[in-house]
Structures are given as structure tokens and as C-alpha cells.
Amino acid sequence: GENVEQHPSTLSVQEGDSAVIKCTYSDSASNYFPWYKQELGKGPQLIIDIRSNVGEKKDQRIAVTLNKTAKHFSLHITETQPEDSAVYFCAPHSEGGTSYGKLTFGQGTILTVHP
Amino acid sequence: NAGVTQTPKFQVLKTGQSMTLQCAQDMNHEYMSWYRQDPGMGLRLIHYSVGAGITDQGEVPNGYNVSRSTTEDFPLRLLSAAPSQTSVYFCASSPGQGAAGGANVLTFGAGSRLTVL
């Protein structure tokens, strides 16, 4: 199965700074790389994803970059705001394989943005 | 469109009691799954289903049962609650193979916080 590691486990930044969270995986067959955001008291929600035919994807202040050779991908948040404070999870997997909705998640990164 | 609905939101049990966490989705998703979330452990898969009548075990299935009699519902049963089952439980659904947006894009419920004394 997929072995997923996420770093750092906690990240504290000042409002306006950038934040980067890295996810390392083991299965070379993985071809879909999502990031989920979990706000306090809620379930995780998909915020951005990338597939292995592209190296970077942006959506306003958030971006995901992929290095398939090194088997890692990263979440980048620029101009952080207090509402970015949450727990972030990665969940790399093979979309065309036998994942069947049963994903292996990273341990999570607690991001705190101080006003 | 409600998405994924979980009930109850909070529950306190005594050791040895049984209960069922309910999960329903209204998106006609093929796949459904149950995860538990513990501090520092991320989300761990308990059971999953790829369609009505089909279920299988995930990473931490012991002490839990599931069934999927309809596409919409996927209840999680605790057979004899233990303090180690104190956790937050999340039900999730995803479209399934062939979906345009991605087979495994998960939609989560709001969670059920269970305490076993």
C-alpha cells in the first residue's frame, strides 16, 4: 500500500507570509495528488488537486507542485490569511487503480496564521 | 443538495454498549467509506464500499461492522464499544470509476464525535 508522510506536522506563520507543506509518497503508480483542508469542527474538503501529466496548478492564492521523480508534491499558500488556519491533509493515489475511495492520508499539518 | 449527512454529531457510550453511526449521501455516489480521526494519526480507513451489497475492510476494521443495502446509506455499527474507540468518525463518499470529476474525490460528512467511558 501507499506510505505517505507529510511535513511539517505544525506550521505557524504571520498573516501575509507564505506557507509550504510537503507530502512524500511511496507508490510510483500514484497519479492523482489532492490536498484537503479541515476547518475546526468540520469534515475535510478538497481544495486543490493535480494529476501526473502536469507539474503545477494554481488557484488564486493556493498552488500545488508535483515532482514525480522524487515522489513528492507540495501545497503552497501565498499571502496567508487567518481563515487559512486549519489542518491540511494530502492523499496521493492511483486514480485508475483499485483505490475505490479508500485513500491513505498523510498525518496532517496544523497551519496557524497569526493576525 | 445536502451532500453527506452523519448522525449523531455527539455520542457518549459505556464500555460494552453497541450503537450505530448513520451516514447518508444524496449525490448518487458509487463509493462510500468510514474513517476515524485521532490526534496525530490523521485519517484511518475503517471500512469501505464500492456499491450496494459490497463492503470490505480498511486499515482498522476490528470492532466495527458495516452494510450497504442501498446506494445512499452506509451505517457503521460498533458491536461492543471499548475506550479505544473514542474518536471522531467521518463518513465520505466519492463518485466512482468513470466519473468526470475524478473517481475518488471525497465528500466528507461533518463528523460524529464518540466517547466511550
Side-chain angles (χ1 to χ4, degrees), chain A residues 32 36 38 41-46 49 51 87 89 93-108, chain B residues 9 31 33 35 37 40-43 45 48-50 57 90 94 97 100-111:
Chain A
Y32 178 61
Y36 287 81
Q38 184 180 25
K42 297 184 179 180
Q45 184 174 12
L46 179 73
D49 56 12
R51 289 177 168 85
V87 183
F89 294 97
H93 62 276
S94 173
E95 201 170 27
T98 57
S99 296
Y100 299 138
K102 52 181 180 83
L103 307 185
T104 299
F105 285 82
Q107 303 95 316
Chain B
K9 290 188 70 68
Y31 301 162
S33 48
Y35 291 84
Q37 185 174 29
M41 304 283 291
L43 293 152
L45 182 68
Y48 68 99
S49 169
V50 299
Q57 297 180 352
F90 288 97
S94 52
Q97 292 294 345
N104 295 322
V105 176
L106 295 179
T107 299
F108 283 88

Side-chain angles (χ1 to χ4, degrees), chain A residues 1 13 17 25 36 43 49 70 74 82 84 92 110 115:
Chain A
V13 300
D17 287 351
Y25 61 96
Y36 287 81
D49 56 12
S74 297
D84 295 327
I110 302 172

Side-chain angles (χ1 to χ4, degrees), chain B residues 8-116:
Chain B
K9 290 188 70 68
F10 302 95
Q11 184 71 49
V12 178
L13 290 177
K14 293 181 179 178
T15 297
Q17 287 185 318
S18 62
M19 77 157 297
T20 300
L21 299 177
Q22 301 291 345
C23 176
Q25 55 96 3
D26 61 0
M27 297 170 286
N28 201 31
H29 281 176
E30 193 174 355
Y31 301 162
M32 295 187 75
S33 48
W34 276 101
Y35 291 84
R36 61 178 287 174
Q37 185 174 29
D38 303 293
M41 304 283 291
L43 293 152
R44 292 184 294 167
L45 182 68
I46 305 171
H47 285 286
Y48 68 99
S49 169
V50 299
I54 307 170
T55 63
D56 207 346
Q57 297 180 352
E59 180 185 356
V60 287
N62 292 341
Y64 307 95
N65 252 352
V66 291
S67 60
R68 185 124 178 249
S69 56
T70 66
T71 300
E72 295 78 18
D73 299 300
F74 191 44
L76 178 72
R77 297 181 186 84
L78 280 70
L79 309 173
S80 177
S84 60
Q85 294 179 302
T86 294
S87 188
V88 181
Y89 292 85
F90 288 97
C91 179
S93 71
S94 52
Q97 292 294 345
N104 295 322
V105 176
L106 295 179
T107 299
F108 283 88
S112 298
R113 182 175 293 275
L114 175 66
T115 301
V116 183

